[in-house]
Amino acid sequence: MGSLEKSSPPRPGALPPQLGRWAPPGPAGAQPERGSVCGDWDGAGPRCLDEAWSRGGRVSLLTAAVWSFSREQAKLKASVVEEDTEEWQKDSSFAGLERVGGVDLSYIKGDDTSACASLVVLSYPALEVLYEDCQMVAVSAPYVAGFLAFREVPFLVEAVQRLQQEEPKLKPQVLLVDGNGLLHPRGFGVACHLGVLTDLPCIGVAKNLLQVDGLVRNELHREQIRSLQREGDTFPLTGTSGRVLGLVLRSYNNSSKPLYISVGHRVCLETAVRLVKSCCRYRIPEPIRQADIRSREYIRKQLCSPLEVISSEPESRKEEAEMDD
């Protein structure tokens, strides 16, 4: 994160200006109070502002960001719906579903502040691209483990809003998101965040296991993956809390690498897995795969350069996929 500390605490009613659009809304005085918990994170900084104040009277921007993000995340989490809400979801063949969206952010290798935000809409069940939107964006929000959505979701929300303004008839009926939903340290990953802000059904589709609630990539987990013999085979991700946080899906016969499916918003887990499976021509479901392909190509065209592009897996997201907090 570099040098993030200010020489004195922010004055009451104002978070550090470097947080910009990510500072929490509220009336004057909506400042983190001494003793307020900043959230469950990896111990790299103080867990509450009392600790920050005791370290020479300084509050880091990272501490303020965690407080801001935690506050907003908790507020949004209350709106998550973990069940089917649409008629097409109740049909075994998804009759009535005509448009499936996919979103992705691609980064230039070595630069985690320049990215391309991509939204595509595919027909269903043919999975042909009906709409695409790619925009270069400047990612300025600080990366904090467990709060990746605050870096990326604002740009994806803007893409959905542009679609609603320009081509409202092509609005997706569901979004597949490259990331996690309920499978998250606080049960509110990127797919939940995007779903709540757009009020669209959202499904989290991750390529790596996020180690939370006692879930670990140990030999038992690897053995369970080896037990997935055919595409469509699954096993549940049950945390030490006893809650099923997601399902592991073998999505493609030619790849033994599974996907980690979790509820984002307005969909149940069973429906989420069935839909992801039906959207897979390859390992990655086609809406996310097309968003990935098109965002990579957009960056190359914009830069007129064969620079290596990292799609959906900047260093920060790899780090989040591997953390265990």
Side-chain angles (χ1 to χ4, degrees), residues 9 39 54 59 68 84 149 151-152 168 186-188 206 225 250-251:
S54 69
V59 178
S68 172
D84 293 338
R151 279 177 59 83
E152 301 189 350
R186 283 161 298 283
F188 195 76
I225 290 174
R250 179 162 182 167
S251 58

Side-chain angles (χ1 to χ4, degrees), residues 97 206 219 236 240 253 255 276 321:
L97 177 61
E219 183 55 36
T240 54
N253 275 334
S255 176
V276 170

Side-chain angles (χ1 to χ4, degrees), residues 15 19-27 30-32 64-65 67-69 71-72:
L15 281 174
L19 291 180
R21 63 197 282 187
W22 294 274
Q31 178 69 21
W67 176 83
S68 172
F69 294 168
R71 185 171 178 264
E72 184 69 10

